Amino acid sequence: MLVMLFIWRWTQNQLGIEKPKEPKDEDDNKDEEEENKLDKEAENIPVLTIIYRVVSFCKFQWKWYILEIALFHIATGVRCVQPHYNAKLLSIFSNKEAILNFIATLTNHEAIFIYTIIVSIILYIVGIVLSGMESGISSYSSEIFKNRLRSHLFTSVLKQEIAFFDKHKTGDLISRVNWEVNSIRRATQVNKIFDEIVPLIYSLIFMSTISWRLTLANFVAMPFIAFCCELYNKKRQKFFWKTYRSSAKAMNVIEESISGIRTVKSFGCEEIECKRYHKHLLESSKLNKEKSIAYIIFRWVNDICDNLNYIFIVAYAIYLVMYGKILPEQLVEFWLYETSISRYLYNINYTLQTIQDGIMSARKVFSIIDREPKKIKSGTLKKPIDGKITFKDVCFTYPSRPNEKCLENLNFECQPGETIAFVGPSGVGKTTIIQLLKRFYDPDSGVVLVDDVPIDEYDSRFLHNSIALVAQEPILFDASINYNIKYGCDDWVTDKDVEEAAKQANIHDFILTTETGYNTLCGERGVALSGGQKQRIAIARALIRKPEILILDEATSALDAATEKDIQDTLHKISQNISVIIIAHRLSTVQRADTIFVLSDKKIVQAGSHKKLMQEVDGIYYNLVNKQILHEKEDTDEENYDENNNKND
Ligand SMILES: Nc1ncnc2c1ncn2[C@@H]1O[C@H](COP(=O)(O)OP(=O)(O)OP(=O)(O)O)[C@@H](O)[C@H]1O
């Protein structure tokens, strides 16, 4: 009973039923606290829920699991009978007298001898073949599981609201998709534990039929070993969280440095980035060193206990043989089983640790898979849109900066087919207005309406298709120009539409000059193209959708004056039928807008056409235009001066 209690306690601990406490890192800043909220929630998921979730992910490849379990049991059964036949052979040759006796009567024993050898060989071969097949199937089914889990996790990550990505670092998310899923996959090979438990039980049964006293002697050191395991596993759990954090930080440095390699190189910061990465690796190595020391101590204590137990069993066995309680050949058979017992126990402990790691990883993975994206209440309305946009008393604060109001009581209207523009100093909230219209965030108060209907009543996909955005920093995917223009609507647009959109965006001629035309690859994030080319492809990507509302957020900032004028003419033609919102610092870009809204101090302070605003000589717009004209004049004067000087030289 006592032993059972210890085993139960030990298993509980091994499986992490006692929730691991995340150690408090003194260096943690506020951002990390915010980011770790999810992990803290994850820690509270009961272990049985986690096991249930993992099992429900496994169940769809149940056929593989059943085959694997069947093969496993046959292979284990075969392996368990082997020592019996080996012992039979050994007992024949156990001493000189027995060998001479056997040779003298060889003809009598020949059949038994050959039979035993043949059975032994067959058992070995069957055991090897079945074990191999079982391992292969197990690894195959766990790979299927891993991919399925990764795919679910990735889908869940993409479903999250934009605010989620403001708080969670890319490195952490990538680490969950790779590292944590792998750790769960290892834990799902739970049959590995049966690989040890079943033969252990079989061996114990065989051993107790030989001598129940000797079999019981195996359990003498069990309580102490269980106690050591418990101490060691507590230590391991502490290390798990710390190692996870430092690996996620290291992953983040890799992601940031590689995606921003041009910035890193242009500032000559390669060494700084290497040092930053190295710092996190050192942190991780330090933790691993401590972990290894803890492991060494655990192994020492474990092995000492094991050996002492062994010595005790040997002494006890000699005693039993001496007093005729068991026969020498029985002892040989017993010993063949005995040698495997400690190996089984060690492997069980190792597998339980893997399962424990898997459970901790599963907490991290399922906390995201099960996370309901906040506030993304999507309606079902799909009625065609005319393009009227209304912002009514909209107030907004970014969730990651809850103490800084970004927009206050914003009110404006855009009639269908109108072009409106937002201008104002940098950081005043122009892009934020667009983010609210695209429902990347929901306002704290007030309402955003499209055609007098609150935008959360529209089907989210329908709304995104009706409102096309050309963002400030267009992101192109590492695929062909054709793919990038068609992105998201390749099931309803043709190659002719792609060409048409490219012509409207003034990029068609450039595409024709490339060797592979529309199949030219854009490179990761569009690195193989110039800023202006990227912007024009992004404009084509927006135009091909034939949206009812088109948003251009600094969409032509990287273009030369002539190209910008061509695109503006095209957009002007298109904008007769659709609503257009333009955000631009270059005021010449917004001059044609029906209404220009000037933002300052979180709200709209001026509104009207360019002509009207230019009449308000005390207004911000008038000043902005004058400053820009003056600036452009200074630039032209400087250029003329340089040119004259060059001529005189
Ligand atoms: N994801 C975010 N989380 C927290 N704060 C943000 C976030 N995005 C923007 N901000 C802050 O909100 C404010 C408004 O930003 P926004 O990008 O709307 O300005 P903008 O007027 O478009 O600026 P610019 O003309 O330079 O593009 C800024 O102070 C900015 O720092």
Side-chain angles (χ1 to χ4, degrees):
M1 188 64 191
L2 199 66
V3 173
M4 287 304 290
L5 263 175
F6 267 109
I7 293 175
W8 169 240
R9 189 82 194 83
W10 179 48
T11 315
Q12 263 200 337
N13 184 47
Q14 297 273 12
L15 289 176
I17 289 173
E18 276 181 6
K19 283 172 212 141
K21 293 277 172 292
E22 189 175 354
K24 264 243 132 322
D25 191 343
E26 280 159 25
D27 296 340
D28 280 359
N29 56 30
K30 231 178 157 192
D31 262 8
E32 277 179 342
E33 263 175 38
E34 191 62 46
E35 192 180 317
N36 291 333
K37 240 186 207 169
L38 197 71
D39 292 338
K40 295 216 173 89
E41 280 166 25
E43 279 179 52
N44 292 327
I45 305 176
V47 77
L48 286 179
T49 314
I50 284 293
I51 291 175
Y52 172 75
R53 298 289 281 114
V54 175
V55 170
S56 44
F57 256 83
C58 292
K59 72 180 176 206
F60 96 113
Q61 70 258 28
W62 61 272
K63 284 178 202 152
W64 288 115
Y65 282 120
I66 287 184
L67 182 62
E68 185 188 326
I69 290 167
L71 286 175
F72 159 73
H73 275 282
I74 304 169
T76 309
V78 167
R79 265 195 284 144
C80 288
V81 202
Q82 268 169 7
H84 176 71
Y85 283 91
N86 292 351
K88 252 186 163 181
L89 280 175
L90 280 174
S91 67
I92 294 171
F93 303 109
S94 57
N95 57 50
K96 196 177 161 192
E97 216 173 282
I99 296 170
L100 292 173
N101 199 18
F102 177 77
I103 293 168
T105 55
L106 190 60
T107 41
N108 296 347
H109 287 84
E110 196 177 14
I112 303 168
F113 182 62
I114 291 169
Y115 165 77
T116 315
I117 286 187
I118 289 174
V119 171
S120 280
I121 291 172
I122 290 175
L123 286 178
Y124 267 114
I125 293 171
V126 172
I128 288 168
V129 171
L130 293 184
S131 294
M133 278 172 68
E134 185 256 328
S135 306
I137 289 170
S138 157
S139 119
Y140 176 66
S141 57
S142 74
E143 282 299 314
I144 299 178
F145 167 84
K146 184 178 82 180
N147 289 344
R148 190 161 179 264
L149 189 57
R150 273 194 181 149
S151 154
H152 266 72
L153 180 58
F154 184 60
T155 312
S156 305
V157 168
L158 290 194
K159 267 200 301 198
Q160 299 305 319
E161 75 281 1
I162 295 282
F164 173 87
F165 297 94
D166 291 345
K167 290 179 195 161
H168 290 87
K169 290 180 186 144
T170 323
D172 174 43
L173 296 173
I174 295 176
S175 160
R176 280 177 211 244
V177 174
N178 282 326
W179 194 38
E180 305 303 324
V181 168
N182 249 334
S183 160
I184 304 173
R185 181 192 65 88
R186 281 196 295 275
T188 58
Q189 290 181 312
V190 74
N191 57 316
K192 291 275 173 289
I193 203 165
F194 294 111
D195 257 348
E196 312 301 333
I197 288 179
V198 177
L200 175 72
I201 295 170
Y202 283 157
S203 303
L204 287 174
I205 294 170
F206 274 102
M207 285 160 76
S208 22
T209 57
I210 299 164
S211 165
W212 62 267
R213 290 185 182 89
L214 262 185
T215 311
L216 271 187
N218 272 292
F219 293 96
V220 170
M222 180 70 98
F224 188 67
I225 292 177
F227 174 70
C228 293
C229 285
E230 179 147 351
L231 283 185
Y232 172 65
N233 281 315
K234 271 192 178 146
K235 203 101 194 117
R236 275 187 78 250
Q237 284 168 8
K238 252 175 85 178
F239 284 124
F240 177 88
W241 294 102
K242 284 187 174 180
T243 327
Y244 172 78
R245 286 244 199 104
S246 62
S247 311
K249 281 181 194 164
M251 184 76 90
N252 220 38
V253 176
I254 295 182
E255 201 278 330
E256 267 185 352
S257 314
I258 294 178
S259 61
I261 188 69
R262 280 162 182 78
T263 313
V264 172
K265 280 200 181 288
S266 69
F267 285 94
C269 287
E270 293 94 326
E271 213 171 299
I272 292 177
E273 289 306 322
C274 288
K275 275 189 189 150
R276 205 150 73 94
Y277 182 58
H278 192 64
K279 190 184 135 213
H280 295 306
L281 286 188
L282 271 184
E283 214 172 274
S284 180
S285 319
K286 216 174 117 198
L287 289 170
N288 281 326
K289 201 159 113 190
E290 285 175 44
K291 201 164 126 186
S292 307
I293 292 172
Y295 182 63
I296 292 171
I297 296 171
F298 167 71
R299 279 299 303 268
W300 280 345
V301 175
N302 204 31
D303 287 355
I304 289 170
C305 290
D306 232 25
N307 285 318
L308 287 177
N309 203 29
Y310 214 63
I311 293 168
F312 171 74
I313 297 169
V314 171
Y316 189 49
I318 294 169
Y319 166 82
L320 291 177
V321 173
M322 273 170 59
Y323 286 89
K325 299 249 165 47
I326 60 168
L327 298 168
E329 53 266 34
Q330 281 182 310
L331 184 61
V332 172
E333 189 173 345
F334 183 91
W335 214 251
L336 285 173
Y337 284 110
E338 175 62 39
T339 46
S340 327
I341 291 278
S342 57
R343 183 166 46 86
Y344 291 143
L345 285 175
Y346 174 79
N347 289 344
I348 288 171
N349 183 41
Y350 182 78
T351 314
L352 283 174
Q353 281 173 11
T354 313
I355 295 173
Q356 182 193 32
D357 286 352
I359 286 174
M360 286 196 271
S361 296
R363 284 199 161 105
K364 286 182 171 294
V365 168
F366 285 107
S367 67
I368 292 193
I369 289 184
D370 296 340
R371 186 179 185 272
E372 277 302 316
K374 273 185 201 143
K375 275 187 172 180
I376 304 289
K377 188 190 106 196
S378 175
T380 49
L381 197 63
K382 286 187 181 175
K383 89 175 170 69
I385 285 173
D386 290 332
K388 184 178 174 192
I389 305 159
T390 316
F391 270 56
K392 250 191 210 165
D393 299 324
V394 170
C395 295
F396 177 69
T397 314
Y398 277 102
S400 55
R401 285 198 198 147
N403 301 323
E404 278 176 46
K405 255 212 156 94
C406 186
L407 295 173
E408 243 176 52
N409 292 325
L410 195 80
N411 288 289
F412 72 86
E413 218 172 77
C414 169
Q415 294 302 328
E418 241 185 14
T419 297
I420 62 166
F422 290 98
V423 296
S426 174
V428 78
K430 302 181 292 290
T431 303
T432 307
I433 295 173
I434 304 309
Q435 308 223 47
L436 292 174
L437 181 59
K438 283 292 275 177
R439 286 210 74 205
F440 293 159
Y441 300 92
D442 278 345
D444 306 338
S445 61
V447 61
V448 180
L449 306 133
V450 168
D451 286 359
D452 297 321
V453 177
I455 49 171
D456 57 8
E457 286 183 20
Y458 286 99
D459 173 83
S460 142
R461 187 137 193 231
F462 171 80
L463 191 77
H464 283 302
N465 274 332
S466 309
I467 307 176
L469 166 69
V470 184
Q472 214 166 22
E473 293 157 16
I475 298 289
L476 299 187
F477 296 95
D478 187 11
S480 67
I481 293 178
N482 185 47
Y483 174 88
N484 272 287
I485 295 180
K486 270 184 182 175
Y487 185 65
C489 51
D490 54 347
D491 44 350
W492 47 271
V493 298
T494 61
D495 285 348
K496 209 162 170 284
D497 295 328
V498 173
E499 225 178 278
E500 186 56 36
K503 278 180 188 158
Q504 286 178 333
N506 219 343
I507 188 75
H508 176 71
D509 291 344
F510 157 74
I511 296 171
L512 292 189
T513 62
T514 60
E515 209 175 307
T516 42
Y518 280 86
N519 292 324
T520 305
L521 294 177
C522 299
E524 199 182 351
R525 291 168 186 245
V527 284
L529 298 168
S530 76
Q533 287 160 354
K534 269 196 279 187
Q535 281 194 332
R536 281 179 283 160
I537 290 176
I539 293 173
R541 179 164 66 186
L543 294 179
I544 201 169
R545 308 178 111 82
K546 304 209 178 347
E548 282 77 18
I549 298 171
L550 176 66
I551 304 167
L552 303 164
D553 186 356
E554 289 289 1
T556 50
S557 59
L559 302 181
D560 61 276
T563 316
E564 188 186 17
K565 170 126 196 345
D566 287 343
I567 293 182
Q568 269 183 5
D569 288 343
T570 315
L571 291 177
H572 192 65
K573 267 186 247 155
I574 300 168
S575 67
Q576 307 305 315
N577 309 317
I578 63 172
S579 307
V580 180
I581 302 179
I582 303 174
I583 293 175
H585 282 290
R586 209 192 275 169
L587 296 174
S588 57
T589 313
V590 301
Q591 275 178 16
R592 287 198 212 173
D594 298 302
T595 314
I596 300 167
F597 295 99
V598 184
L599 284 158
S600 175
D601 200 19
K602 303 166 197 154
K603 43 181 153 335
I604 293 171
V605 288
Q606 271 185 297
S609 65
H610 172 73
K611 205 169 154 196
K612 178 182 170 261
L613 291 178
M614 285 306 284
Q615 283 159 5
E616 297 172 12
V617 288
D618 293 333
I620 295 179
Y621 186 79
Y622 182 84
N623 278 322
L624 282 175
V625 173
N626 274 339
K627 267 188 203 154
Q628 223 164 70
I629 292 171
L630 200 70
H631 192 69
E632 276 164 17
K633 196 169 169 294
E634 275 172 9
D635 281 352
T636 329
D637 286 351
E638 252 175 53
E639 272 169 28
N640 290 343
Y641 178 77
D642 287 347
E643 247 176 57
N644 287 340
N645 273 357
N646 287 344
K647 271 184 199 163
N648 290 341
D649 287 346

